[in-house]
Every structure is written in structure tokens, then in C-alpha cells.
Amino acid sequence: MDLRYTNRRDHQLNGQRLFLGLMTGTSLDGIDAALVDFSSTPPRLIAAQGTPLSDDLRGQLLALQSPQPNELHLAQLAANAHSDACADAIHALLAQAGYAACDIEAIGNHGQTIRHRPECGYTLQIGNHARLAEKTGISVVGDFRSRDVAAGGQGAPLVPAFHQALFASPEQRRALVNIGGIANISLLIPHQATCGFDTGPGNVLMDLWVSQHQGLRYDKDGAWAATGHVLPDLLAQFLQVPYFALKAPKSTGRDLFHQDWLNTQLANRNDAPADVQATLCALSARSIADTLRDQQIDTLYVCGGGAHNQRLMRMLALELPQTKTTTTEALGVAPDWMETYAFAWLAKCCIDRKPANLPEVTGAEGQRILGAIWPA
């Protein structure tokens, strides 16, 4: 008999409501896992850790970002491998924190986005949730975005609802920006409806360029970008992309900002690679800052991998001299774990049958309960 499925503890009686959040983002740099206790106000982040993706799995997931032969079969194999890696990450985190599977109500598993086409009525995050439930003995909540898309929304970003619930201030005009592969922003302004959307590329284009020219997964601290010079004409060209002029609600991903897009933008140019990297960094900073210039934001809190890019953080501060720019560490959540924390919260909302989207953010016809449940 598998003891994972017997004598499950009563989560309500022992005073804790524990949920796990799992996230692999557009940057494909690893699996982030967070363990959160929602029995207190504010909730308590108990433990978190990141696990690098193997080169093989990362290669499989990257290949699926573009159409290819036999991709249905390859996507299912990648989903299985992704779920196995997630299960390993969960076991490691629980061992680190001193908890067992029977202590956890559910896992919020974002899955890996391989297509995001809300204009066509779908978004696809692969991950074998049934396999993950089987391997961990914990109920899994997944497929968070599809219900919002079915209701006419973008299905993204989903984190503004979480940011509003935990970090809105009655006095301060705040903005939170998650800079992963794609950057998304939440505007938390007193007495106004929360606004949020994808601003455009975060790290994705910088990662592609540094991989092509330096053989690295990412530009650590923005050190390579710091050796180059921003090319004003190239930056202006990048900013002519129609996406940046669209009004919210809007969302984007690798379906738009990918290697072929970058190659097309750079065709017939002969710029120094470091200058291109500096300009890509400036594009991320400018496209974020442009959404904030008229908002009189007191503090901009940055999370995601971009919070570690010192060059990008300096550019943001220069773009927004009247706004204090810092990381979400100031809110009590390390930048690496904010989005993973959000998916633990989204799992709890689903289990509690509470809506977790913001129609004013995604454009959905109304509030919806997000996610589907695979019971342990």
C-alpha cells in the first residue's frame, strides 16, 4: 500500500494551510518551487528553492516554441519529463523544509508555455498534471489560464490579482514588475482598479543574443550589456513594433519576441554585438518605464530574474527618476520566488472555489475560478 494516500492529516485542524507553487517561465532557466502557509495574514513563505533544467529538457522545451514535425508526440514526451523534474523539485523542497506530502493541500503548477494565442482562443502550458499527482501524492491544480481565455480574456497576466490581494497599499502608489522572459506589470494605485499587462520582452531577447554570441544562458548582472553602448536608432526601431502601442488588456510571449524576430530586426545592420545587447537591455527598461511615466508611482518593486540584472535595474532607475526603484525584497518576498508564490495562491483560490482573475486586467467577461484539479 502506498502510504502517501492513507492517513492524510487534516490541514484545517493542524492550523496550517500549506500549498506549493511551481513555475518554469519563458526564460527556461529552471524550476522554481515555493512552500507557503496561508493560515496567517499575511501568508508565510516557508521555503523555496530553484532547480536548474537539464540541458536535454531545456532543449526539448525550446524546440517546442516553434512548429516542428511530430510535435504532438514530442510535446507529450516533454510534458512527462517536465512533470518528473517538477516532482523531483517538490521532493527536495519538502525534505529541506521538513514536511511530508500529506501536509500539503495542493500544488499550483503553471506548466511550461509553448503557445500563447489568446487572439485564436487558446493558450497552451504543457505539463502532465496527472503524472505529477501520481509521483508526489499531492493534489495538483493546473491549466490556470484557459478559463480566462474561454471567457474572452488574455489569460495573462494572472499575477496582478495576487499582487493586489497581498501588496496593495491604501496610501502608496505602487507598481510591481516581474521581469522574466517577458515582463509584466501590476499598477496598485489607491482608489483605482488594479491594472496589469505584459509590457514586452524582459530577458528573452537578451538571453537569445548572449547565447548566440557568448555561449551563455544569460548575461549575468548585465555585465556584457554594460560594455556596450545603446544605439538610439536601433532602440527606436524596436519600439516601432505595434505591440508596444496597443492598449491593455494585452499579453505576449515567444510567439512574437523570438529569434527570427530579432534576426529580422537586425538584418542589413553590422552593429557590435555588445552594443546590440546594451540596446536590448534598454528596450526592456524603456518599454516598462513608458507604461509608468504618467502614473506618479511612488515605488517600483522588481521581481523575477531581471531583478538581478544590475544594468537593467540602473536603466530603470534612470528612466524613472521620480520613482523609487527597488526589488520585492522590500515587501518581504525575494525576487526569485514572487511568481512561484503567486501560483501557490492561485491553487488555494481554486481549491476554495474563489475567482482569481481580474477582468479589468485580462479583458475576460467576468470573474472566473481558474484552474483544474487532479486529486491525489
Side-chain angles (χ1 to χ4, degrees), residues 8 26 96 99 110 153 175-176 216 219 224 331 345 348-349:
R8 299 184 68 85
T26 311
Q96 170 199 323
Y99 287 89
H110 174 263
L176 276 74
L216 302 172
D219 184 7
W224 188 40
L331 296 173
W345 180 83
K348 177 182 178 295
C349 290

Side-chain angles (χ1 to χ4, degrees), residues 60 64 68-80 126:
Q60 291 179 61
L64 288 167
Q68 60 178 308
N70 205 25
E71 65 178 1
L72 290 178
H73 175 64
L74 295 174
Q76 287 303 110
L77 294 180
N80 287 349
I126 63 170

Side-chain angles (χ1 to χ4, degrees), residues 20-283:
L20 284 160
L22 282 175
M23 184 71 193
T24 55
T26 311
S27 292
L28 286 167
D29 51 359
I31 299 168
D32 292 333
L35 175 61
V36 186
D37 179 12
F38 288 96
S39 63
S40 61
T41 303
R44 184 167 65 97
L45 181 61
I46 295 174
Q49 68 176 29
T51 304
L53 288 178
S54 69
D55 290 340
D56 181 60
L57 177 54
R58 187 170 189 270
Q60 291 179 61
L61 296 172
L62 277 172
L64 288 167
Q65 302 297 319
S66 302
Q68 60 178 308
N70 205 25
E71 65 178 1
L72 290 178
H73 175 64
L74 295 174
Q76 287 303 110
L77 294 180
N80 287 349
H82 180 273
S83 296
D84 291 348
C86 286
D88 290 342
I90 287 170
H91 290 309
L93 181 60
L94 291 180
Q96 170 199 323
Y99 287 89
C102 58
D103 296 317
I104 313 301
E105 285 196 52
I107 299 164
N109 184 27
H110 174 263
Q112 179 60 53
T113 299
I114 60 169
R115 295 289 189 282
H116 183 65
R117 299 294 303 276
E119 74 280 7
C120 297
Y122 76 91
T123 183
L124 180 59
Q125 290 73 43
I126 63 170
N128 189 331
H129 303 297
R131 188 180 181 101
L132 183 60
E134 190 68 27
K135 285 184 169 288
T136 61
I138 303 170
S139 296
V140 176
V141 184
D143 195 20
F144 289 99
R145 302 186 186 275
S146 291
R147 184 61 190 275
D148 187 88
V149 172
Q154 292 284 310
L158 296 182
V159 292
F162 165 71
H163 292 158
Q164 178 194 65
L166 270 70
F167 304 113
S169 165
E171 298 93 15
Q172 277 199 332
R173 299 171 71 90
R174 293 176 169 178
L176 276 74
V177 60
N178 175 68
I179 308 178
I182 298 298
N184 59 75
I185 200 158
S186 302
L187 300 179
L188 308 176
I189 299 175
H191 315 300
Q192 292 186 24
T194 295
C195 179
F197 48 89
D198 290 347
T199 60
N203 302 314
V204 62
L205 298 176
M206 290 186 284
D207 290 350
L208 287 170
W209 193 247
V210 77
S211 175
Q212 180 177 336
H213 289 274
Q214 302 277 310
L216 302 172
R217 286 193 177 185
Y218 65 99
D219 184 7
K220 186 176 181 180
D221 299 327
W224 188 40
T227 68
H229 298 89
V230 175
L231 304 170
D233 64 323
L234 181 58
L235 178 59
Q237 177 184 316
F238 288 156
L239 289 167
Q240 290 301 309
V241 173
Y243 180 81
F244 296 117
L246 291 177
K247 293 184 178 181
K250 62 178 182 176
S251 60
T252 189
R254 285 182 185 265
D255 302 271
L256 173 57
F257 296 107
H258 47 67
Q259 185 70 63
D260 288 345
W261 179 90
L262 186 55
N263 291 343
T264 299
Q265 291 288 319
L266 297 174
N268 303 316
R269 297 183 64 101
N270 190 30
D271 303 308
D275 291 346
V276 173
Q277 185 74 352
T279 307
L280 291 172
C281 190
L283 172 65

Side-chain angles (χ1 to χ4, degrees), residues 339-358:
E339 200 164 17
T340 306
Y341 191 163
F343 279 90
W345 180 83
L346 286 164
K348 177 182 178 295
C349 290
C350 182
I351 294 294
D352 291 347
R353 306 290 292 170
K354 292 182 177 179
N357 66 330
L358 292 177

